[in-house]
Amino acid sequence: MSKPIYVLSGPNLNLLGAREPEIYGHQTLEDVQRLCEARASALGREIVFRQSNHEGELIDWIQEAREKAAAIVINPAGYGHTSVAILDALKMVGIPVIECHLSNPAAREAFRHQTYVSLAATGVVSGFGAASYELAVEAAAGLTRPAAK
Ligand code: CA2
C-alpha cells in the first residue's frame, strides 16, 4: 500500500453541522471523514484524517506528512487567511498540497478572498460542501497514483 493522504482540518471545523448550515451544510466532520474514507478506499488508498483548533499542532502534522504522507489535503479554515507559519510549513513538504474549502471564500467577504495556503497549494477545491473534501482526496490520489507494475 502506498503512503496515506493526510486530510487536515483547521479551527472550529470540529463543530461542523452545528451552525450556519446555509453556508457549510448539515454534515458533521465525522460525516466528512466517512465520505473521504469511502472515496479513498474506492481508489485503493488510505487517509489519515485529523482536525485541530491549534496552529502549532497543524504545523506538527504538516511536518510529519513530509515523511509519512503521499499528499496533503488541507482545509485551513480561518488560519488560511492569517497564517504565514502554516504557509511556510506547507512550502517545505515537497508533496502535493490540495487546499479545500466547504464554501467558496472568493464569493464571500473580502477578507476571505486571500488565503496564504493557496501560495503553496498544487490546487484548490472550494464551494461544494462536504464534496469539496472528496474531490480534493480524489485529486490528491490522482497526483500520487502508485506506478503500475
Ligand atoms: O469554507 C470553508 O471550508 C472555510 O475554510 C471555513 C472557515 C472559514 O473561515 C473560511 O473562510 C472558509 C470557517 C470554519 C468554521 O467552522 C464551522 C464550524 C461550525 C459550523 C460551520 C463552520
Side-chain angles (χ1 to χ4, degrees):
M1 182 69 87
S2 53
K3 288 180 178 176
I5 296 162
Y6 273 33
V7 183
L8 306 179
S9 296
N12 300 307
L13 287 164
N14 54 311
L15 298 177
L16 192 63
R19 66 173 173 87
E20 297 181 283
E22 66 288 355
I23 300 175
Y24 298 111
H26 290 278
Q27 283 160 304
T28 66
L29 199 62
E30 279 184 11
D31 296 329
V32 174
Q33 179 170 357
R34 276 191 286 274
L35 289 170
C36 288
E37 284 168 352
R39 181 64 64 106
S41 168
L43 297 166
R45 302 296 293 270
E46 287 180 349
I47 61 166
V48 169
F49 193 97
R50 296 178 184 160
Q51 185 275 335
S52 179
N53 293 326
H54 303 279
E55 189 175 21
E57 187 163 41
L58 290 162
I59 290 168
D60 286 344
W61 293 340
I62 291 165
Q63 291 186 4
E64 179 185 305
R66 295 171 71 205
E67 299 295 327
K68 296 195 175 166
I72 298 174
V73 169
I74 183 165
N75 181 351
Y79 283 146
H81 311 299
T82 63
S83 179
V84 174
I86 288 177
L87 167 63
D88 287 342
L90 289 170
K91 280 170 112 172
M92 286 185 261
V93 288
I95 55 176
V97 174
I98 316 299
E99 179 180 0
C100 93
H101 297 278
L102 298 149
S103 67
N104 177 5
R108 300 180 62 194
E109 304 97 318
F111 69 85
R112 298 185 199 277
H113 293 180
Q114 191 212 343
T115 87
Y116 287 105
V117 166
S118 295
L119 295 170
T122 310
V124 184
V125 184
S126 297
F128 300 103
S132 290
Y133 276 79
E134 289 183 271
L135 292 166
V137 166
E138 187 160 346
L143 288 169
T144 59
R145 197 174 289 131
K149 288 192 185 140

